Amino acid sequence: MVYTLRRDCWNSNKKSQASHYPMLSLPTPPNIPTLETPSDWAEARDWVSRFKQESIPKTLVELSFSRSSGPGGQNVNKVNTKATVRCSANAYWIPLWARNNLLKSPQYVTSTKSLLITSTVYRSQSQNVDDCLSKLHALVLNAASSSIKNETTEETKKRVEGFKRAQKERNRKEKDQRSAVKQHRSGKGKGWDT
């Protein structure tokens, strides 16, 4: 038995969704296919920070329920508590730069080009749905965040410069020491006349 709420997730046309469902609270990601410049990273970081504060509404995914397996007494045999969430990997609210990472995840189903997440953790159907949605949220957030390069702080830059200066000084000392050893071996350092 499959219960489907709205199938917004399958339609990637952002304009039609915004006009039909203005109550959606997920932030729209910037139209950036790959993150290459610092301004791209800044826009992506801004989207990630806004997306972290939101949760994925049930209206953006396809939900289905079935009977769970395992322990649980008669509840397992009577109630459809296993929740399955399916969402298109091309959904408008998933950033373009995150899609390559999502295609590599074990939750990606190639035949339907969708993300499939199930949960049987709880005995309650609604808790399993919430668990699936939180897993989907974490999956998208992780895929979007992994491509972002963070800016280097001034403190880190100073520390790295200090390391570079110290390494140059060590290299110079080693070179001078090696040079002195070679001069000593050739007899120039002993004061002999040749």
Side-chain angles (χ1 to χ4, degrees):
M1 182 182 285
V2 175
Y3 302 98
T4 303
L5 294 175
R6 286 191 198 143
R7 300 184 102 188
D8 296 350
C9 193
W10 297 100
N11 183 4
S12 62
N13 185 353
K14 180 171 53 173
K15 291 179 184 175
S16 67
Q17 289 176 351
S19 62
H20 291 295
Y21 308 111
M23 75 277 194
L24 300 178
S25 62
L26 290 179
T28 304
N31 191 15
I32 304 170
T34 57
L35 302 177
E36 297 173 350
T37 64
S39 64
D40 292 346
W41 300 327
E43 284 186 64
R45 266 193 297 277
D46 180 50
W47 180 86
V48 165
S49 67
R50 287 184 286 132
F51 185 73
K52 277 183 186 176
Q53 299 168 1
E54 302 293 337
S55 58
I56 299 172
K58 294 176 188 175
T59 57
L60 293 180
V61 296
E62 180 182 319
L63 294 170
S64 60
F65 307 101
S66 58
R67 293 194 176 135
S68 296
S69 61
Q74 291 301 311
N75 191 57
V76 170
N77 300 326
K78 292 181 189 174
V79 183
N80 292 330
T81 58
K82 178 181 179 182
T84 303
V85 167
R86 185 182 299 269
C87 179
S88 172
N90 296 323
Y92 80 94
W93 54 271
I94 297 176
L96 296 174
W97 71 85
R99 291 184 184 171
N100 283 337
N101 292 336
L102 290 174
L103 298 181
K104 298 173 190 172
S105 76
Q107 288 80 15
Y108 180 71
V109 179
T110 309
S111 60
T112 59
K113 296 182 177 147
S114 63
L115 301 169
L116 182 71
I117 297 175
T118 61
S119 177
T120 58
V121 175
Y122 302 101
R123 290 183 56 166
S124 162
Q125 189 180 81
S126 63
Q127 287 178 310
N128 283 332
V129 168
D130 292 341
D131 187 44
C132 285
L133 291 174
S134 67
K135 286 178 184 177
L136 178 62
H137 187 272
L139 179 68
V140 171
L141 189 61
N142 187 30
S145 301
S146 65
S147 301
I148 300 174
K149 293 183 181 177
N150 292 324
E151 293 179 3
T152 308
T153 63
E154 287 300 318
E155 180 182 320
T156 305
K157 287 179 184 177
K158 288 179 184 177
R159 195 169 65 232
V160 168
E161 282 299 318
F163 290 149
K164 286 181 180 177
R165 279 194 302 271
Q167 184 62 40
K168 280 184 181 179
E169 185 63 32
R170 281 193 297 272
N171 291 347
R172 185 85 224 136
K173 284 182 180 179
E174 286 176 14
K175 192 172 182 180
D176 289 345
Q177 185 179 8
R178 190 77 191 136
S179 176
V181 168
K182 286 183 177 182
Q183 282 182 355
H184 185 70
R185 286 182 185 157
S186 68
K188 292 179 182 175
K190 297 178 183 177
W192 295 339
D193 292 332
T194 47

